[in-house]
Amino acid sequence: MRLHKYTPNFEGMHWKDIVVMDEDALEAKGVAALGARRKMLKTFEVVRKKMGINDPAGAPAASA
């Protein structure tokens, strides 16, 4: 996905906290590029579905 440069932005976070982040939270964590945020949000949605984690309250589903 070529998003490895953002790894340090999430150090110390548990994966379950990461996959429920929304666009604003990602931007606050330093993911400024819109394309990168969209890729992450799509991946987070897939992970939440596979792991049976509910969507964050009030967050719209990532669209294609």
Side-chain angles (χ1 to χ4, degrees), residues 1-2 10 17-19 21 24 26 28-29 37-38 41 48 51 53-55 60:
M1 293 183 75
R2 300 182 53 112
F10 301 101
D17 295 327
I18 295 171
V19 300
M21 293 177 81
D24 291 333
L26 287 173
K29 273 291 193 181
R37 288 195 309 269
R38 286 183 176 167
L41 291 171
R48 287 193 308 265
M51 300 306 292
I53 299 171
N54 293 330
D55 286 338

